[in-house]
């Protein structure tokens, strides 16, 4: 039994797939140039090999967008462009990450993985004390995970080579801002145990 979980944050098709709406945007460029999918799959496989549970956090809304805040600067484009619709290809986890049926699926309707989700129930049920995480983007969901996880007394480790933001500068700034709240490693050096 482990007190650790590996959470992969917002790595869904609408946000990171080359054929998705962000595939040609800054996110697509950063995901590709930084090797985010390859590094994340390496980390997932290492965690699985030692029995660490995996959780995938996804952002999405009902087909009628009833949970989508109309005035949100970050989510207003979802409704307008038909993105992040639960049950559609766009909110499925990128296929190269190898999601399995036994993995935890946490669906959120805001930036935070904790707000109005089943995440805390999952963590409590597992006896989690340590969260390893990564995701897109570093300055949104990863930042929310780190700050809120810290304030809930979890030890947090972020795998930097499995994270990116819209630009390299935004990513670097987020990493710098979060250094006081978590530890950092990468998919190659981190010893999952």
């Amino acid at each position: 039994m482990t007190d650790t979980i590996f959470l992969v944050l917002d790595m869904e098709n609408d946000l990171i797939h080359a054929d998705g709406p962000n595939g040609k945007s800054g996110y697509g460029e950063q995901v590709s140039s930084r090797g985010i999918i390859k590094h994340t799959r390496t980390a997932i496989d290492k965690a699985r090999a030692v029995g660490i549970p995996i959780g995938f956090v996804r952002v999405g809304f009902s087909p009628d967008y009833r949970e989508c805040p109309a005035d949100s600067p970050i989510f207003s484009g979802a409704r307008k462009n038909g993105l992040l619709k639960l049950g559609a290809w766009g909110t499925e986890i990128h296929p190269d990450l190898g999601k399995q049926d036994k993995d935890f699926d946490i669906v959120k309707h805001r930036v935070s993985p904790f707000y109005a989700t089943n995440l805390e129930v999952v963590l409590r049920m597992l006896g989690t004390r340590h969260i390893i995480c990564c995701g897109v983007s570093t300055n949104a969901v990863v930042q929310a995970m780190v700050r809120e996880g810290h304030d809930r007394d979890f030890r947090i480790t972020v795998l930097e080579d499995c994270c990116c933001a819209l630009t390299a500068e935004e990513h670097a700034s987020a990493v710098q801002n979060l250094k006081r709240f978590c530890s950092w490693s990468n998919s190659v050096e981190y010893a999952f145990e």
Side-chain angles (χ1 to χ4, degrees):
M1 193 71 172
T2 178
D3 69 350
T4 301
I5 190 170
F6 181 28
L7 295 176
V8 179
L9 310 170
D10 289 0
M11 292 209 186
E12 56 199 274
N13 291 328
D14 270 353
L15 299 176
I16 69 165
H17 199 288
D19 296 332
N22 286 296
K24 307 283 187 272
S25 76
Y27 283 124
E29 191 278 325
Q30 290 295 306
V31 167
S32 175
S33 68
R34 289 180 47 78
I36 300 299
I37 295 166
K38 178 184 72 150
H39 295 310
T40 303
R41 180 59 187 263
T42 295
I44 290 169
D45 291 345
K46 287 171 72 173
R48 284 195 202 291
V50 296
I52 292 174
I54 311 293
F56 288 92
V57 175
R58 303 180 292 134
V59 60
F61 305 102
S62 299
D64 63 1
Y65 292 94
R66 67 183 69 185
E67 309 90 357
C68 186
D71 298 326
S72 166
I74 196 166
F75 292 125
S76 60
R79 181 192 312 259
K80 183 174 135 190
N81 298 303
L83 304 177
L84 304 177
K85 195 179 292 189
L86 292 170
W89 175 85
T91 55
E92 292 175 7
I93 298 301
H94 193 290
D96 292 349
L97 296 179
K99 184 177 184 297
Q100 297 180 3
D101 290 342
K102 67 180 179 178
D103 296 332
F104 291 96
D105 183 38
I106 294 100
V107 175
K108 64 190 181 82
H109 308 299
R110 298 295 185 270
V111 174
S112 169
F114 285 100
Y115 180 75
T117 72
N118 65 338
L119 179 57
E120 288 195 79
V121 171
V122 168
L123 298 176
R124 193 168 46 248
M125 186 234 2
L126 292 173
T128 302
R129 296 179 58 219
H130 178 209
I131 297 170
I132 305 164
C133 68
C134 65
V136 176
S137 70
T138 322
N139 58 340
V141 67
V142 174
Q143 184 163 214
M145 171 89 258
V146 168
R147 290 179 186 274
E148 293 190 44
H150 170 272
D151 285 355
R152 287 169 168 82
D153 301 323
F154 293 102
R155 185 167 53 97
I156 312 284
T157 302
V158 181
L159 302 181
E160 188 273 339
D161 66 334
C162 302
C163 299
C164 74
L166 189 60
T167 66
E169 293 77 21
E170 287 182 6
H171 171 75
S173 176
V175 170
Q176 185 62 37
N177 289 332
L178 292 174
K179 284 187 174 181
R180 296 174 55 208
F181 301 96
C182 64
S183 59
W184 290 84
S185 190
N186 62 60
S187 62
V188 175
E189 296 176 2
Y190 189 75
F192 286 86
E193 52 191 0

